[in-house]
Amino acid sequence: FALRAAPYELPETIVQPQLGRELMRQVIARKAEWMPRIEGYSAEVYTRRTILRRDEIIELHEIVSDVHWDREQGIRETITSMRKTRNHGAEDYVPAMAGLVNLYHDDIEFAEAQLMGVTHPNALDHYDFQVIGHRRVDARTVYDISVEPKSRLHYGFTGAIAVLDEEFALVEAELKPTRATLTTALPLPLIEDFSISYRQQFRSFDGLWLPVDYHLSAQIEIGM
């Protein structure tokens, strides 16, 4: 049998190799304007930690807490509710802010090291930003941008971010430390494979872009 051709027109796409770099230049410039205005915040936080071994849950821990952050006084957290599996220690819990990172910051703490964030003032010298797509969210354009270090030996991240057009703000980030970062920062014995990834979203509060969630996933393979 013969097939009949059916023409299908795709929307026009303009390829701009430097668009990702220019978008991030605007993001970094805008961040320098609003970031110093953040003096403190309060939030109700739900934290869930799950430890699995070959897809079997061996420990589960959930807490609800009130978190307060002040530029001068630091962090204060009050636990309001907690539940956990029986094999979890009676007094042992992980605060919501323990190990929390803000992927919008210039420097990201990782294994007692400081990694250059994707919005660092010098990020354009160390990262390649390429637009890999765009979408409409609430009648506004969001650009999806890939992130890759310019050098394989660079301490930093690889992954993807999303930037809101016109406001030039980071709204999503899915990043993981580079292989060079993992092998140098975590030279652990018996570890055959180790991977870690971060996922975070940001929203505007009176022009200040703050994280509204934080997902950390780590996978470890141990062998002799």
Side-chain angles (χ1 to χ4, degrees):
F1 57 92
L3 299 179
R4 180 177 297 174
Y8 181 78
E9 293 187 6
L10 296 175
E12 179 179 327
T13 300
I14 300 176
V15 179
Q16 296 176 284
Q18 296 298 317
L19 179 57
R21 182 180 178 86
E22 292 304 316
L23 287 171
M24 291 308 299
R25 188 189 305 278
Q26 294 279 7
V27 170
I28 294 170
R30 292 288 182 90
K31 171 187 166 183
E33 298 174 0
W34 59 258
M35 182 69 80
R37 293 169 45 207
I38 302 178
E39 297 184 358
Y41 61 80
S42 299
E44 184 181 28
V45 181
Y46 165 74
T47 305
R48 176 188 177 107
R49 184 182 68 173
T50 306
I51 300 178
L52 302 96
R53 180 175 56 209
R54 295 188 178 181
D55 298 327
E56 175 189 5
I57 295 179
I58 61 174
E59 186 176 304
L60 181 62
H61 181 208
E62 296 175 305
I63 64 172
V64 177
S65 55
D66 293 325
V67 171
H68 307 274
W69 178 84
D70 183 85
R71 184 191 298 273
E72 301 295 334
Q73 302 180 11
I75 297 172
R76 179 169 60 89
E77 181 174 354
T78 303
I79 306 296
T80 58
S81 179
M82 179 191 307
R83 69 175 182 172
K84 53 197 173 183
T85 50
R86 293 181 179 179
N87 60 341
H88 200 283
E91 301 297 330
D92 185 24
Y93 67 92
V94 178
M97 304 300 284
L100 176 69
V101 301
N102 185 343
L103 297 177
Y104 221 133
H105 281 173
D106 291 347
D107 300 298
I108 312 298
E109 292 188 9
F110 177 75
E112 300 182 357
Q114 294 285 340
L115 305 185
M116 178 182 288
V118 296
T119 60
H120 189 283
N122 298 325
L124 296 175
D125 296 330
H126 297 273
Y127 289 107
D128 279 327
F129 298 101
Q130 297 289 334
V131 173
I132 55 178
H134 65 276
R135 46 198 161 99
R136 299 289 287 178
V137 178
D138 296 332
R140 307 179 73 178
T141 300
V142 173
Y143 289 96
D144 295 311
I145 301 175
S146 66
V147 179
E148 292 291 340
K150 291 185 176 181
S151 170
R152 290 185 298 176
L153 302 179
H154 176 63
Y155 257 38
F157 296 97
T158 181
I161 55 178
V163 171
L164 180 64
D165 194 18
E166 297 181 359
E167 290 200 39
F168 301 107
L170 202 64
V171 293
E172 298 174 9
E174 294 189 24
L175 302 170
K176 58 183 180 180
T178 61
R179 177 59 61 179
T181 302
L182 292 175
T183 55
T184 305
L186 297 169
L188 301 177
L190 303 183
I191 302 298
E192 294 187 351
D193 188 34
F194 178 76
S195 62
I196 186 169
S197 61
Y198 302 93
R199 182 161 55 91
Q200 197 165 46
Q201 297 181 94
F202 306 89
R203 294 295 180 268
S204 175
F205 297 88
D206 294 329
L208 308 179
W209 289 83
L210 300 175
V212 294
D213 66 356
Y214 174 68
H215 300 260
L216 170 66
S217 178
Q219 182 172 339
I220 303 175
E221 183 176 345
I222 302 174
M224 299 296 293

